[in-house]
Amino acid sequence: MTGQARESATDDRQLQALEELGEQLRRLRAKQRLSVVALSVRAGLGRTTVSKALNGASVPSEETVIALSAVLRADPAPLLLLRSEAQTGRRTSERVHPKRSSDRTTSTVVRVFERRYRQYVASRHEKLSVIGLDLARPDRSCWPLDAAYLSLDLAVASDHSSAGLVMDEMERAGGGVSAEQALSESQRVLIRGHAGSGKTTLLQWLAVGAARQNLPAELSHLNEHIPFVLPLRTLARTSNFPDPISYLAAINCPLKAAQPASWADGVMSSGRGLLLIDGVDEVAQEKRPRTREWLLDLLAAYPSNQFVVTTRPTAVPDGWLADFGFGELTVQPMSVRDVSVFITRWHDAARAGSSGDEEREQLGELETKLRETVRSQHGLSQMTTTPLLCALVCALHRDRHGHLPHGRMELYSAALSMLLHRRDHERNIQPEGLRISERQSMRLLQRLAYWMVDNGQAEISRTDALHHISEALPSMPEVAGQGDDNSVLDHLVERSGVLRAPDDDTIDFVHRTFQDYLAAKAAIDARNIGALVKNAHDDRWEDIVRMAVAHASPTDAAKILERLVSRGDRNTANRRLRARLHLLAAACVDYATELDPAMREEVDKRTVALLPPRSLEEGRTLASAGKVILELLPGPEGLEEDEAEAVTYTAGLIGGDAAIGVLKKYCTYGKGMVPWYMQMHWNHFDVGEYAKEVLACVTELPTLHIQSSEQLGELGNLRVPGNLSFSGDFDAGQIKEALARTEIRTLSLHRNDVIEGAEFLEEYQTLLSLTLDSCHRVNNLSFLPRTSISTLCLWLEPWEELAGLEGISNIKHLDINTVLPYAHLDEAPMSKELRSLEIGFRTASGTSLRGVSRWENLTRLSIFTHHGYEHFAEISSLGNLQSLELFGWDIGTSLKLISPLPNLRRLRLANVRELDAAVLRERFPGLRELRLSSPGVKIDVSSLAGMPELQIDVRNAVEVVGADQFPVGSVTVYPRPRD
């Protein structure tokens, strides 16, 4: 062998050994279920060092290998031998199971392919198409995703179904948290959002971040994952949903032929898959059970991967995947601040593609004018609730030289006109080839849109599209005379701005909203009223029915509503379907240009029967009908507490001036969660008006959540409560300005990257509770003993960088949800004087309960965990424990590990799938309060009958069996059943 050949062979052995070392470390990490963050913290190593070791990017030091081995509970010797070979290239004879040559070759091929695949995903999804960004140059109608992505706010979709976020955290964060934080909380998430709300963009951003391995700190554990973007609209076109080996072929990825054998299976088996499954709503209703079964098969075969699924809100019922550990989150409407940021980014992107100084100056003037218009015209708030609507408003404002249409339907109509015709006509662009008028284009597009909707498809094959165009051409001689069906379809794709071709054999609309708008117009033009009503129960037709009413003549609009009401009336056996049809009719009223008052009265009668709402779920359903509901929402007189809560929640979701009128009626209603909901929606209204008209009139606000400087400026006009929460980069001076206006008792700081320390809180001796959530520059807590703070909440804080924890004895209540550098609780420097301890998902995922018994005076314990918790049985030694809260997915097994706790009085169990009441009776004989969250299941409490003074609260169960065996008032069911 020549010297050059020997050198090449040595290099090859080094690479192979390094790859094998990384592979073994990844497998060990997956086995221990540790994130990169947790692993780096426990090992005392930097995240970059750990990531490089796991990914085989460089040869780790011996100290690194030994530290990782200790945390991963592995023998370091074989790993050190691999390290030595990776460094020197010399095969070590002590290796017990050296890799065969074929295995080493396979590892190299896999490593090279993964690098190519990551580059492909990043390149494929790094641009975000923005409708109307550059009308003259459609090729410029894209933003770099880094600049375009606007972090969404997500809220618990219902108060029972979140796997990773309990209601307590949402309350701390003002009713919602950032998408990054929400996704860091759960391994499995179902995200609901309306059309254009940014669901697909979120998945796109996750895919690119994971591919580039540069996701933010909250999601850094996903940087070593392999993203698979799986649009269900594409997958549903095949007879069977794909298995991992077929993913790339199913999405027509050009690297499908280069995929190493069993590569995708290997990725998923090792827990490195990031499955981004988009658009359950774009699958036909009859196929959704099969979609669910496909997902469940994946979960059974590959349980350790990250799953994110998206859908429109009503496509699947609450708890659709709750049995399998999926949390449900809902995309919040864009806040006033979000809209302002979007307007700035849109115009920045437009300026970047502008042709000269004059155009850039005009864009600056338009930006200023639009910002002022949005701020001053309250009606625009309903037109800027989603990124899609904001983009259309920005584009039309530019295209119409500062003038905007009124209402969503006019907005969609104007946008289509702009994209189809006016962009060429008004900018003096002479289109090449065919000359098809706007009206002609609309006719052809309507034909395609209606066929796609009628056949339950979000995409159409080129062959089918050509068939429909060829059928239309004989009746359109002006178009037919210019070219054949291929030419016409190519023109529509290339020049309309409404159609696109994701690949050579697929056509779809740039956004489903345009497809629905055109399909609705086609249905009305063909007078297909029967088809509209027949399909009204299908969530994919809901927007189409609404838009059809808007397109229709007064006579046809009344016919649609009359038939919807009649169909609902006939469904006496299916109350859920009946309510859905009647609410859809109510939503359509708002879309009708002209409507017979008698018909409106009939619709109102049915809607009133659904009022008042009794739960947040009912409130969300009502809110989907739009502002017409506001006229029917009652005041607080005569309402039960749960009804008052749901009414205020509903009004806040709908928003607008009329909502303020409803909410003002509840200013003096101080029961339950009503005051909390009153302040929760502040960020979704005009800040000054809402403060003056609503918040200033609330008798006693329980808390205020401040997210902007505008809100901070309004505090002088309010009775500031003693509980304040801040989200965002507020400095110490701004916080102190707010604290000066109240006698502060509880302070929460969320996602703050500017505040460098919290020592200034020493001067506020009334402060009893402090929450630090993602305040990464607050790294010294030694000031706490000099305060009156007895409750401390640490969320997403870098524990290893926190100083001063050892000397803290005044903390009696600790709420912790951050990665700890300890394998067991007994290693953590926490005060033995704790009375209450809450352990969140991040802490539970990496630190066992061993040592919890040292807090012998503990009276309350709350734990969240996805899996069985190691050393759970040690809870039995807490003889003074009075309250226990368990959130997770293995509660039944966990409870059986506990010995009897006779002093326990309160028990809260979330996501209960099956209740073994006999176990509860045996383990907790002194139980007085039991709260069960049981989404979508039947709960039998009869075995608990006879326990003295027991009060039971059951939430979101489909049925509660045995309640009649308890004294009246002992069992509360939420939401309360309707007669």
Side-chain angles (χ1 to χ4, degrees):
M1 182 183 292
T2 64
Q4 185 176 3
R6 282 194 297 273
E7 183 176 342
S8 176
T10 298
D11 290 344
D12 188 43
R13 285 198 298 272
Q14 287 177 297
L15 288 173
Q16 291 164 357
L18 186 58
E19 171 63 24
E20 185 176 351
L21 175 59
E23 183 181 338
Q24 290 199 22
L25 288 172
R26 290 195 299 272
R27 286 177 177 172
L28 289 166
R29 186 191 69 81
K31 183 179 179 181
Q32 296 296 327
R33 296 199 296 266
L34 290 175
S35 68
V36 175
V37 177
L39 181 55
S40 61
V41 169
R42 287 206 199 167
L45 301 170
R47 295 179 190 174
T48 302
T49 299
V50 173
S51 292
K52 286 182 176 180
L54 292 169
N55 295 321
S58 63
V59 180
S61 66
E62 288 187 355
E63 291 78 7
T64 295
V65 173
I66 292 171
L68 291 174
S69 300
V71 176
L72 297 173
R73 303 178 184 180
D75 181 0
L79 299 176
L80 288 170
L81 292 176
L82 278 172
R83 178 202 169 274
S84 176
E85 185 172 331
Q87 187 173 46
T88 66
R90 293 193 297 273
R91 186 170 303 285
T92 310
S93 59
E94 291 89 339
R95 285 178 61 184
V96 179
H97 298 292
K99 275 198 160 189
R100 296 191 304 272
S101 175
S102 60
D103 292 337
R104 294 196 302 271
T105 302
T106 300
S107 294
T108 302
V109 170
V110 166
R111 175 165 45 82
V112 171
F113 177 78
E114 284 193 3
R115 187 178 298 122
R116 288 183 64 196
Y117 177 71
R118 285 183 183 275
Q119 291 170 348
Y120 162 77
V121 171
S123 177
R124 172 69 178 80
H125 298 286
E126 68 182 353
K127 296 286 187 179
L128 177 65
S129 177
V130 181
I131 296 170
L133 182 61
D134 192 331
L135 298 174
R137 293 285 303 277
D139 54 303
R140 293 181 181 174
S141 296
C142 290
W143 272 344
L145 192 62
D146 291 342
Y149 176 69
L150 186 68
S151 179
L152 303 174
D153 275 350
L154 303 178
V156 173
S158 60
D159 60 349
H160 64 270
S161 59
S162 173
L165 290 168
V166 295
M167 192 64 182
D168 291 345
E169 180 179 356
M170 289 304 192
E171 291 178 10
R172 291 190 190 96
V177 296
S178 70
E180 295 89 332
Q181 184 170 352
L183 293 172
S184 73
E185 286 292 312
S186 183
Q187 192 177 3
R188 303 172 184 177
V189 176
L190 175 68
I191 297 176
R192 299 177 187 265
H194 291 286
S197 61
K199 304 183 299 294
T200 299
T201 302
L202 171 61
L203 298 194
Q204 194 174 333
W205 176 78
L206 286 169
V208 171
R212 291 177 175 167
Q213 298 182 293
N214 64 355
L215 287 167
E218 299 97 320
L219 299 173
S220 60
H221 62 289
L222 297 180
N223 282 332
E224 61 181 292
H225 282 55
I226 301 295
F228 296 100
V229 182
L230 302 175
L232 287 173
R233 64 192 302 174
T234 301
L235 304 188
R237 291 174 59 194
T238 61
S239 57
N240 293 304
F241 289 102
D243 55 25
I245 294 175
S246 307
Y247 283 168
L248 301 195
I251 61 173
N252 202 24
C253 172
L255 298 180
K256 58 189 176 185
Q259 178 182 192
S262 301
W263 166 73
D265 175 71
V267 169
M268 300 281 286
S269 296
S270 63
R272 293 195 301 130
L274 172 58
L275 277 79
L276 306 170
I277 301 169
D278 192 26
V280 174
D281 54 283
E282 301 195 50
V283 178
Q285 273 194 338
E286 61 271 16
K287 289 186 177 181
R288 288 178 197 166
R290 190 156 59 85
T291 306
R292 186 174 184 268
E293 289 302 315
W294 170 68
L295 277 168
L296 301 188
D297 285 344
L298 284 176
L299 293 167
Y302 307 104
S304 300
N305 296 275
Q306 184 89 19
F307 291 81
V308 184
V309 182
T310 70
T311 183
R312 287 196 186 184
T314 59
V316 293
D318 273 9
W320 191 60
L321 294 172
D323 284 358
F324 307 94
F326 274 79
E328 292 194 8
L329 300 164
T330 296
V331 179
Q332 297 279 70
M334 292 175 70
S335 66
V336 174
R337 179 178 176 276
D338 291 336
V339 173
S340 179
V341 171
F342 189 98
I343 291 172
T344 297
R345 292 184 180 180
W346 193 97
H347 286 85
D348 284 345
R351 278 189 286 269
S354 60
S355 57
D357 292 340
E358 183 178 353
E359 186 176 4
R360 281 190 285 273
E361 184 177 346
Q362 290 175 348
L363 283 165
E365 294 172 357
L366 285 169
E367 178 186 350
T368 301
K369 182 178 180 181
L370 179 57
R371 199 185 305 281
E372 292 173 352
T373 301
V374 170
R375 186 180 298 115
S376 60
Q377 295 185 14
H378 300 320
L380 269 178
S381 64
Q382 297 299 306
M383 293 169 57
T384 54
T385 57
T386 70
L388 171 67
L389 291 172
C390 275
L392 292 179
V393 166
C394 290
L396 286 167
H397 187 260
R398 177 188 185 183
D399 188 60
R400 293 172 161 227
H401 311 295
H403 299 284
L404 286 170
H406 299 284
R408 288 196 184 190
M409 290 298 287
E410 287 188 31
L411 182 68
Y412 297 146
S413 177
L416 282 167
S417 177
M418 173 183 70
L419 294 169
L420 288 172
H421 179 63
R422 292 179 61 234
R423 71 173 185 191
D424 289 345
H425 179 72
E426 295 191 2
R427 293 170 184 265
N428 296 316
I429 300 169
Q430 297 301 319
E432 298 178 1
L434 281 62
R435 294 174 179 269
I436 303 179
S437 70
E438 177 184 339
R439 185 177 179 82
Q440 292 165 338
S441 297
M442 286 282 284
R443 284 291 185 184
L444 292 168
L445 291 169
Q446 285 174 208
R447 196 180 187 98
L448 296 179
Y450 188 81
W451 183 88
M452 291 164 69
V453 168
D454 195 38
N455 285 272
Q457 295 182 196
E459 297 176 335
I460 185 172
S461 70
R462 184 176 178 88
T463 302
D464 284 337
L466 289 170
H467 169 75
H468 293 293
I469 289 175
S470 65
E471 278 194 337
L473 288 182
S475 60
M476 304 177 74
E478 289 185 16
V479 178
Q482 301 182 56
D484 61 9
D485 50 1
N486 272 290
S487 300
V488 173
L489 181 58
D490 288 341
H491 175 89
L492 291 174
V493 171
E494 294 167 8
R495 297 301 309 164
S496 74
V498 179
L499 286 184
R500 63 186 176 188
D503 56 55
D504 293 341
D505 188 46
T506 306
I507 306 293
D508 68 359
F509 285 85
V510 293
H511 200 279
R512 187 171 150 191
T513 298
F514 290 134
Q515 177 184 316
D516 291 349
Y517 178 94
L518 291 164
K521 185 71 168 68
I524 289 300
D525 288 350
R527 306 202 75 240
N528 283 338
I529 293 175
L532 290 167
V533 176
K534 178 184 177 181
N535 291 289
H537 65 282
D538 188 334
D539 62 277
R540 291 175 306 150
W541 282 77
E542 284 183 356
D543 284 348
I544 296 165
V545 173
R546 291 189 185 99
M547 292 181 185
V549 170
H551 286 304
S553 67
T555 300
D556 284 347
K559 283 183 179 179
I560 295 172
L561 290 173
E562 181 183 2
R563 294 190 186 183
L564 280 176
V565 168
S566 177
R567 186 183 171 197
D569 290 346
R570 292 194 304 271
N571 272 280
T572 55
N574 190 337
R575 295 179 62 181
R576 188 180 185 90
L577 176 58
R578 183 181 188 181
R580 183 168 186 161
L581 292 169
H582 286 164
L583 280 175
L584 179 57
C588 289
V589 168
D590 205 30
Y591 280 72
T593 306
E594 180 182 338
L595 188 63
D596 182 356
M599 187 68 252
R600 176 171 184 139
E601 185 178 347
E602 289 299 314
V603 173
D604 285 351
K605 285 180 182 177
R606 273 67 175 187
T607 309
V608 167
L610 304 173
L611 297 172
R614 291 182 173 179
S615 68
L616 304 192
E617 181 181 352
E618 290 183 5
R620 281 189 297 275
T621 303
L622 285 171
S624 68
K627 61 184 180 182
V628 65
I629 293 295
L630 292 170
E631 301 175 21
L632 306 175
L633 289 176
E637 296 79 12
L639 295 190
E640 297 290 339
E641 189 174 298
D642 57 350
E643 294 171 333
E645 291 174 348
V647 167
T648 51
Y649 178 77
T650 304
L653 286 181
I654 297 172
D657 292 343
I660 288 180
V662 173
L663 292 169
K664 286 175 67 174
K665 299 176 183 178
Y666 287 82
C667 285
T668 58
Y669 189 98
K671 300 177 185 177
M673 294 287 288
V674 168
W676 194 88
Y677 289 134
M678 298 283 276
Q679 64 84 34
M680 185 183 84
H681 297 290
W682 188 10
N683 205 40
H684 297 138
F685 289 83
D686 177 86
V687 171
E689 182 184 11
Y690 194 78
K692 176 183 177 182
E693 297 293 329
V694 178
L695 296 181
C697 304
V698 175
T699 304
E700 186 175 353
L701 286 168
T703 187
L704 268 182
H705 184 65
I706 300 165
Q707 303 178 67
S708 67
S709 56
E710 291 84 0
Q711 290 177 329
L712 191 65
E714 290 294 330
L715 295 187
N717 302 318
L718 303 176
R719 292 188 291 273
V720 181
N723 304 328
L724 292 178
S725 174
F726 294 82
S727 279
D729 291 336
F730 293 93
D731 60 34
Q734 291 173 303
I735 295 171
K736 292 175 71 173
E737 177 186 341
L739 300 189
R741 300 184 181 279
T742 187
E743 189 174 276
I744 189 68
R745 297 185 301 275
T746 300
L747 176 65
S748 301
L749 305 178
H750 304 272
R751 302 191 292 281
N752 191 317
D753 290 326
V754 285
I755 187 169
E756 295 188 356
E759 290 78 7
F760 68 92
L761 296 176
E762 291 182 30
E763 62 184 275
Y764 302 98
Q765 287 300 308
T766 59
L767 181 61
L768 302 176
S769 175
L770 173 65
T771 294
L772 297 173
D773 172 10
S774 303
C775 302
H776 301 304
R777 302 180 73 177
V778 178
N779 52 25
N780 194 324
L781 300 180
S782 59
F783 70 93
L784 286 174
R786 299 187 293 277
T787 71
S788 299
I789 296 172
S790 59
T791 299
L792 177 64
C793 306
L794 297 175
W795 292 69
L796 272 175
E797 293 303 299
W799 183 280
E800 70 277 15
E801 298 174 13
L802 287 175
L805 286 166
E806 293 81 356
I808 300 175
S809 59
N810 54 315
I811 300 301
K812 301 297 187 291
H813 311 278
L814 179 64
D815 179 354
I816 183 166
N817 188 27
T818 192
V819 177
L820 298 182
Y822 315 109
H824 311 290
L825 277 180
D826 57 10
E827 301 171 14
M830 301 177 190
S831 169
K832 292 184 178 181
E833 304 304 317
L834 287 182
R835 299 291 187 273
S836 172
L837 177 62
E838 294 187 43
I839 300 173
F841 165 68
R842 291 185 188 86
T843 303
S845 64
T847 301
S848 84
L849 271 176
R850 193 186 80 185
V852 71
S853 57
R854 67 169 162 153
W855 292 294
E856 55 188 30
N857 294 320
L858 207 63
T859 59
R860 177 175 175 266
L861 179 62
S862 176
I863 302 171
F864 182 91
T865 177
H866 280 299
H867 309 285
Y869 203 179
E870 194 174 357
H871 297 286
F872 193 88
E874 194 170 335
I875 292 175
S876 306
S877 62
L878 299 173
N880 292 312
L881 197 65
Q882 297 180 16
S883 177
L884 177 63
E885 301 169 4
L886 301 178
F887 302 85
W889 303 101
D890 198 18
I891 292 174
T893 302
S894 298
L895 288 174
K896 292 177 182 177
L897 300 175
I898 304 176
S899 299
L901 287 169
N903 291 325
L904 195 84
R905 296 293 181 265
R906 291 176 296 279
L907 179 64
R908 180 180 178 186
L909 307 176
N911 300 303
V912 177
R913 314 310 307 164
E914 186 175 344
L915 180 68
D916 190 339
V919 171
L920 298 189
R921 188 168 193 139
E922 177 187 347
R923 301 303 195 274
F924 314 114
L927 194 63
R928 296 293 179 268
E929 297 176 22
L930 173 63
R931 179 171 175 178
L932 304 171
S933 175
S934 308
V937 299
K938 181 168 72 173
I939 290 294
D940 187 346
V941 297
S942 54
S943 296
L944 298 174
M947 293 187 70
E949 302 178 40
L950 179 62
Q951 295 288 320
I952 302 177
D953 183 321
V954 184
R955 296 184 169 247
N956 304 294
V958 295
E959 182 182 354
V960 179
V961 178
D964 56 345
Q965 300 180 33
F966 290 78
V968 176
S970 296
V971 179
T972 302
V973 178
Y974 177 91
R976 281 187 297 125
R978 296 185 183 273
D979 296 332

